[in-house]
Amino acid sequence: MIETPYLLFLGDAPDPLAAKVAQGIRDWRPEFAIGQYRMDGCKADMKLPDMSLAEAHAKGARTLVIGVANRGGVISESWKAVLHTALEQGFDLASGLHNLLRDEIDLVETARQHGRMLHDVRVPSVKYPIANGVKRSGKRLLAVGTDCSCGKMYTTLAMEAEMRARGQKATFRATGQTGILITGGGVPLDAVIADFMAGSIEYLTPDADAGHWDLIEGQGSLFHVSYSGVTLALIHGGQPDALVICHEPTRSHMRGLPGYKLPGIEAVRDMALALARVANPACQVVGVSINTQHLFEAEATRYLAETEARLGLPTVDPFRHGAGRLVDALAAI
Amino acid sequence: MIETPYLLFLGDAPDPLAAKVAQGIRDWRPEFAIGQYRMDGCKADMKLPDMSLAEAHAKGARTLVIGVANRGGVISESWKAVLHTALEQGFDLASGLHNLLRDEIDLVETARQHGRMLHDVRVPSVKYPIANGVKRSGKRLLAVGTDCSCGKMYTTLAMEAEMRARGQKATFRATGQTGILITGGGVPLDAVIADFMAGSIEYLTPDADAGHWDLIEGQGSLFHVSYSGVTLALIHGGQPDALVICHEPTRSHMRGLPGYKLPGIEAVRDMALALARVANPACQVVGVSINTQHLFEAEATRYLAETEARLGLPTVDPFRHGAGRLVDALAAI
């Protein structure tokens, strides 16, 4: 686990989108976000107090999280002076970039000298077991998508926030680097060795109280030929009691696959449910989450209503309208 | 390349299935298998001459192949004395286990002292791409199973032998350590990083002549919760034109999963075909391969006939009766 709270490093972010990791932390774990650190020319702003390293450390920050990605996901040389100073002043560093902190010899040496940790959340830090398929206590929900990057993380985080607001026991379980940085822990599933994928998800979602829900962040899609195996490992390792189907309705083709059309929500519902019942015969599809960010309000409202009427399942955009109806649907499980 | 011929190390195999590496080499490259080395309590027998290390070396064996796997694929401490002695007596070691020979410091040191090689065929030697899903030329067949270890490798190897005997162009494509040890090349799929699984299979089965068949070794099962993700990556990376369903009819539960019953052949046929058609809409199920090794001849014959009548597909045990009818069925694709 990454030590909290954080100081969010926005570096020289060329635009607000580059800081989506920082934004995720601010939106979903504001209590972890003590402040932000911006360099000259930074175009992102989390509306958090700008702080020096010393100020943030004095206020309790223990990890400097690289909340920004530049082209190629590398660790910019222009950041290095700040990163070294942070280690010297008692911060750990955490990063989800492709290029690893641990491969930067100078950072490794400074961390060693000052007894600090370098967290590269893209690479597993645990030797995961092979899945044993044994039924675990507690309840689990998994977000499955018609495609990659269609709102699965957002949906499960929004459900967690809603359930906690209602006083229900719920834990978002991160399976990708952004989710791991937001919550401080999880499994970077796309970097796990094939044989241990399902086992890593069993490890991620252990036995829990009968009334507790693990809300598992989905990855990929059963219909995305590049990553479908990762998705199926989530379905079988997660042994979900409930599925939410996530969809972004304006895509002309699968992400990164120009030759592949998106499947219908019904096709994903049927395929995911049939496969989920191998691990958990009681699994149910409880709702549909539509990412309507590219639709105007009236279009979004109509699309949601039509989808709900067609599928007979609560259908919402949790960003626009909240996750309340998806959470309501869990009561029947 | 691994130096041949081999002495097959069966160790303390807990059951015959655990020695499927050794059995594959004996059946498909018998000229490589000089003898077998068994320890006390070994429950596997390749019907090869039992030999000491010194005898085998005198008969020309140059590599001790670890032909046995225990759960988790570790190098058992109880094997170590034999492995050290083998290195001292002039053998290289070859292994397809998850835990690597190269990570055993004592073995590395003994190999270094005696100038011997440690071959870990499991470790990917290629940086595989992410799958792009683009249609490739040539034809592909994939073996999919109701369970792990039910005859998928045998089926595709037998089909390759039959097709070559008929003068047809066919290439067995290994996706596991046994197949790699047998044929000298392939993708150790269960050791590939999750994001690159499907891409590794695209890499394994590149564009080919229109009349050429790649016969892709299957792994796991869509219904085996520990490994199903690996199976789906094969289905989507392989983009098969043809599927053969493989089944072993005497299992009381899924291999390694006491709580899980085997799916029916029909369930696997329907699920695998639906998923395969995401990548290749023309995919067909062409036959059923039954592993009848635990049935008497009359039972086997009856089971095959009943299955064939029920499914309306050529149904054979290629090990017992040849793969001719499966190969015949490809003519229609």
Side-chain angles (χ1 to χ4, degrees):
Chain A
M1 290 295 288
I2 301 167
E3 224 186 323
T4 57
Y6 305 149
L7 176 61
L8 303 184
F9 178 75
L10 307 187
D12 47 1
D15 55 55
L17 269 181
K20 77 169 191 175
V21 167
Q23 191 164 330
I25 295 169
R26 187 210 55 193
D27 289 346
W28 299 108
R29 290 294 186 270
E31 69 274 23
F32 290 176
I34 292 254
Q36 63 186 11
Y37 186 104
R38 299 193 292 169
M39 292 168 59
D40 285 347
C42 181
K43 300 289 198 301
D45 183 0
M46 295 302 115
K47 313 291 187 197
L48 291 168
D50 286 292
M51 287 186 191
S52 69
L53 294 167
E55 276 178 276
H57 199 268
K59 288 188 189 296
R62 288 297 170 264
T63 302
L64 183 71
V65 174
I66 297 179
V68 58
N70 49 22
R71 195 179 293 277
V74 301
I75 294 154
S76 169
E77 282 303 311
S78 69
W79 301 347
K80 279 289 185 68
V82 179
L83 303 185
H84 280 286
T85 306
L87 291 166
E88 289 160 10
Q89 296 194 358
F91 285 90
D92 294 340
L93 303 182
S95 162
L97 298 174
H98 268 293
N99 285 30
L100 305 183
L101 296 166
R102 72 184 63 171
D103 292 337
E104 304 291 317
I105 294 171
D106 54 334
L107 292 177
V108 170
E109 178 56 21
T110 301
R112 190 193 61 74
Q113 282 175 15
H114 295 272
R116 306 315 311 169
M117 303 270 292
L118 301 177
H119 297 283
D120 289 299
V121 302
R122 257 182 202 274
V123 287
S125 54
V126 171
K127 191 168 163 10
Y128 300 114
I130 286 175
N132 63 26
V134 174
K135 177 74 179 163
R136 307 192 291 288
S137 57
K139 298 285 190 185
R140 284 160 196 82
L141 172 138
L142 174 67
V144 297
T146 55
D147 195 3
C148 302
S149 307
C150 64
K152 295 183 284 287
M153 184 184 80
Y154 196 98
T155 300
T156 37
L157 280 166
M159 291 185 71
E160 184 201 47
E162 175 68 19
M163 293 177 80
R164 289 186 172 182
R166 296 184 185 187
Q168 297 173 350
K169 286 183 284 186
T171 307
F172 169 78
R173 297 296 189 181
T175 62
Q177 67 269 12
T178 306
I180 295 170
L181 285 171
I182 289 173
T183 59
V187 166
L189 183 58
D190 57 12
V192 171
I193 298 282
D195 246 6
F196 303 97
M197 293 187 299
S200 76
I201 303 304
E202 292 188 348
Y203 172 94
L204 179 68
T205 67
D207 281 317
D209 295 346
H212 179 277
W213 280 91
D214 268 342
L215 306 166
I216 308 173
E217 179 191 5
Q219 295 292 335
S221 167
L222 289 171
F223 290 79
H224 194 296
V225 297
S226 310
Y227 308 116
S228 54
V230 177
T231 308
L232 186 49
L234 268 163
I235 290 173
H236 283 165
Q239 51 184 232
D241 303 276
L243 300 175
V244 170
I245 315 296
C246 300
H247 181 60
E248 200 282 82
T250 70
R251 303 257 170 101
S252 57
H253 60 75
M254 297 292 278
R255 188 168 166 78
L257 302 175
Y260 289 80
K261 286 211 161 56
L262 266 74
I265 297 169
E266 290 90 336
V268 175
R269 173 196 64 194
D270 295 346
M271 187 69 79
L273 189 60
L275 287 163
R277 285 180 172 170
V278 172
N280 185 349
C283 187
Q284 301 285 341
V285 177
V286 294
V288 179
S289 175
I290 304 292
N291 177 346
T292 65
Q293 66 177 323
H294 299 303
L295 299 181
F296 291 111
E297 181 73 34
E299 291 176 297
T301 302
R302 189 173 62 242
Y303 188 90
L304 291 167
E306 285 173 2
T307 305
E308 176 150 348
R310 202 173 75 241
L311 280 94
L313 289 167
T315 302
V316 301
D317 181 339
F319 183 76
R320 240 166 165 147
H321 311 118
R325 295 186 60 225
L326 298 177
V327 171
D328 293 344
L330 295 185
I333 303 294
Chain B
M1 287 300 294
I2 300 167
E3 226 187 322
T4 59
Y6 305 149
L7 175 63
L8 304 183
F9 177 75
L10 307 186
D12 47 359
D15 57 56
L17 271 179
K20 80 170 186 174
V21 168
Q23 193 165 325
I25 294 169
R26 185 210 58 190
D27 290 340
W28 300 105
R29 295 291 186 276
E31 67 274 23
F32 290 174
I34 291 253
Q36 63 186 10
Y37 186 103
R38 298 193 294 168
M39 292 169 58
D40 286 346
C42 181
K43 300 288 198 302
D45 183 0
M46 295 303 112
K47 312 293 188 196
L48 291 168
D50 286 293
M51 288 186 191
S52 69
L53 294 167
E55 278 179 275
H57 199 267
K59 288 189 188 295
R62 289 297 171 265
T63 302
L64 183 71
V65 174
I66 297 180
V68 58
N70 47 25
R71 191 169 168 80
V74 302
I75 294 156
S76 169
E77 281 303 311
S78 69
W79 302 347
K80 279 288 185 69
V82 180
L83 302 185
H84 280 287
T85 305
L87 290 167
E88 289 158 11
Q89 296 194 0
F91 286 89
D92 293 341
L93 303 182
S95 162
L97 299 175
H98 262 297
N99 284 30
L100 305 183
L101 296 167
R102 71 184 64 170
D103 290 338
E104 303 291 316
I105 293 171
D106 53 336
L107 292 177
V108 170
E109 178 56 21
T110 300
R112 191 193 60 75
Q113 281 175 15
H114 295 270
R116 306 314 311 169
M117 302 271 293
L118 303 177
H119 298 283
D120 290 300
V121 304
R122 177 122 213 180
V123 184
S125 54
V126 170
K127 190 169 165 11
Y128 301 114
I130 286 176
N132 64 25
V134 174
K135 177 73 177 164
R136 307 191 293 288
S137 57
K139 298 286 190 185
R140 284 160 195 82
L141 172 138
L142 173 68
V144 296
T146 54
D147 195 3
C148 301
S149 307
C150 64
K152 295 182 285 288
M153 187 187 75
Y154 262 85
T155 300
T156 38
L157 279 165
M159 291 185 73
E160 182 199 47
E162 174 69 17
M163 292 178 81
R164 290 186 171 183
R166 295 184 184 189
Q168 299 174 347
K169 287 183 284 187
T171 307
F172 170 79
R173 297 296 189 181
T175 61
Q177 66 273 14
T178 311
I180 295 171
L181 282 169
I182 290 171
T183 62
V187 166
L189 182 59
D190 56 14
V192 171
I193 299 283
D195 247 6
F196 304 98
M197 293 186 300
S200 76
I201 302 306
E202 292 188 349
Y203 173 93
L204 178 68
T205 67
D207 281 318
D209 295 345
H212 179 277
W213 279 91
D214 268 341
L215 305 166
I216 307 172
E217 179 191 4
Q219 295 292 335
S221 167
L222 289 170
F223 290 78
H224 194 295
V225 297
S226 309
Y227 309 116
S228 54
V230 178
T231 308
L232 186 49
L234 269 163
I235 290 173
H236 283 166
Q239 50 185 230
D241 304 276
L243 300 174
V244 170
I245 314 296
C246 299
H247 181 60
E248 200 283 81
T250 70
R251 304 260 171 99
S252 58
H253 60 75
M254 297 292 279
R255 185 162 166 78
L257 302 174
Y260 289 79
K261 286 211 162 59
L262 266 73
I265 297 169
E266 290 90 335
V268 175
R269 173 196 63 191
D270 295 345
M271 187 68 81
L273 190 60
L275 287 163
R277 286 181 170 170
V278 172
N280 185 349
C283 187
Q284 301 285 342
V285 177
V286 294
V288 179
S289 176
I290 303 293
N291 177 346
T292 65
Q293 68 177 322
H294 299 302
L295 299 181
F296 292 111
E297 182 73 32
E299 291 176 297
T301 303
R302 189 172 63 241
Y303 188 90
L304 291 168
E306 285 174 359
T307 305
E308 177 150 348
R310 202 173 76 241
L311 281 95
L313 289 167
T315 302
V316 301
D317 182 339
F319 187 63
R320 225 163 175 158
H321 309 120
R325 295 186 61 226
L326 297 177
V327 171
D328 293 345
L330 294 186
I333 302 295

